[in-house]
């Protein structure tokens, strides 16, 4: 059984991945920006000793340092899931202002990079260590939809970070992949999305199980279909 880190685990796909990982018998370190108000996670800690809930804001240096200091254990799988959506319109959408660009690029691109950097010593002591970055098909150049500019660019950046980490960390024994979770009914995906968070989370965890040094650098969907970059 593995020790799995899941960021942004207090709601949405991260919360469902936490539920399934625990049901599969793993030990989970689930992070939330505001752990005191992570109601669903805190309820789970009352029925299992295999879940630890810790504070982490992936866009805050002090929070990253505090999380690393409070996390001494080896990590086998790091699921870098925390992310934000910004305005979804075309080029003239007033939501695409500088603050939106900074927010999307900081949380969705720098966030997974800085988290991976913070926990690299833990991964190097892990068994079959892997990093899974939750990206999106919206970041694929082959699927450029002509809208949601900061979000799409940020997810292209997230996939790029995963590819570069895969290259650099392969000789150090750490496999890295990036994943499209599907269009999922969460606060981000909305009620009209295709998939439940349960379906997406189950598929993603199954894909992470087969991530290896042989397949490192993959960009694929929650069903294992290859995504164009
Ligand atoms: N839903 C979809 O259809 C879809 C499709 C493609 C990709 N994705 C990606 O899948 C991932 C999960 O999405 P979701 O649908 O579950 O979204 P969600 O329901 O909006 O949840 C987002 C999670 O990220 C956390 N988060 C946001 N900013 C953070 C920060 N600075 N530091 C740490 N955590 C932060 C949130 O914490 P708070 O509760 O504190 O805000 C929350 O736990 C995201 O990376 C998203 O881009 C989703």
């Amino acid at each position: 059984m593995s020790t799995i880190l899941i960021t942004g685990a207090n709601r949405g796909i991260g919360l469902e991945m936490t539920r399934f990982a625990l049901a599969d018998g793993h030990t989970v370190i689930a992070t939330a920006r505001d752990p005191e108000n992570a109601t669903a996670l805190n309820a789970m800690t009352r029925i299992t000793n295999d879940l630890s809930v810790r504070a982490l804001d992936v866009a805050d240096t002090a929070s990253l340092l505090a999380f690393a200091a409070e996390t001494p254990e080896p990590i086998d799988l790091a699921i870098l899931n925390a992310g934000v959506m910004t305005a979804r319109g075309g080029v003239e959408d007033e939501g695409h202002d500088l603050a939106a660009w900074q927010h999307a690029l900081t949380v969705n691109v720098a966030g997974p990079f800085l988290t991976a950097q913070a926990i690299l010593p833990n991964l190097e002591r892990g068994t079959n260590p892997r990093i899974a970055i939750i990206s999106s098909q919206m970041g694929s150049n082959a699927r450029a939809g002509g809208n949601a500019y900061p979000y799409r660019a940020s997810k292209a950046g997230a996939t790029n970070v995963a590819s570069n980490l895969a290259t650099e960390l392969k000789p150090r024994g750490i496999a890295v992949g990036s994943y499209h979770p599907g269009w999922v009914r969460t606060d981000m995906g909305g009620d009209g999305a295709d998939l439940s968070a349960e379906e997406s989370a189950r598929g993603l965890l199954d894909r992470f199980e087969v991530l290896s040094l042989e397949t490192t650098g993959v960009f694929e969907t929650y069903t294992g279909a290859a995504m164009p970059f």
Side-chain angles (χ1 to χ4, degrees):
M1 290 302 122
S2 302
T3 297
I4 301 179
L5 166 69
I6 306 176
T7 66
N10 54 299
R11 59 190 169 101
I13 302 166
L15 179 61
E16 293 311 319
M17 288 193 288
T18 302
R19 282 192 217 283
F20 279 114
L22 289 167
D24 289 348
H26 300 297
T27 298
V28 178
I29 303 164
T31 76
R33 286 194 290 185
D34 180 8
E36 282 184 17
N37 287 311
T39 313
L41 288 177
N42 290 331
M44 283 186 233
T45 62
R46 290 192 277 279
I47 53 175
T48 176
N49 293 323
D50 294 331
L51 173 63
S52 166
V53 182
R54 297 181 198 169
L56 178 61
D57 182 335
V58 301
D60 183 290
T61 302
S63 177
L64 284 155
L65 287 171
F67 173 73
E70 146 177 57
T71 304
E73 60 267 66
I75 292 172
D76 306 315
L77 170 62
I79 305 174
L80 308 184
N81 165 76
V84 288
M85 172 60 84
T86 48
R88 298 172 195 253
V91 62
E92 284 144 333
D93 191 323
E94 289 177 1
H96 300 330
D97 60 7
L98 183 59
W101 280 97
Q102 288 169 335
H103 188 46
L105 295 173
T106 302
V107 176
N108 294 350
V109 188
F113 176 81
L114 294 171
T115 309
Q117 193 182 50
I119 57 157
L120 208 48
N122 310 65
L123 285 161
E124 289 197 297
R125 288 183 287 112
T127 302
N128 183 25
R130 288 150 288 152
I131 299 172
I133 294 182
I134 306 302
S135 183
S136 171
Q137 69 173 6
M138 287 179 74
S140 166
N141 289 333
R143 292 168 190 251
N147 57 24
Y149 285 85
Y151 182 77
R152 286 182 182 276
S154 74
K155 288 302 188 180
T159 302
N160 179 271
V161 165
S163 299
N164 281 286
L165 286 174
T167 301
E168 186 182 2
L169 298 181
K170 185 175 183 178
R172 292 162 70 170
I174 301 171
V176 186
S178 57
Y179 296 87
H180 170 57
W183 182 28
V184 188
R185 290 188 293 276
T186 62
D187 293 339
M188 185 183 293
D191 293 341
D194 293 334
L195 291 174
S196 68
E198 291 87 345
E199 288 170 286
S200 174
R202 180 69 269 166
L204 288 167
L205 287 174
D206 291 346
R207 298 317 303 163
F208 307 155
E209 280 303 308
V210 296
L211 173 63
S212 70
L213 292 174
E214 283 67 48
T215 62
T216 191
V218 288
F219 179 27
E220 62 183 25
T221 70
Y222 74 106
T223 62
M227 283 294 306
F229 280 87

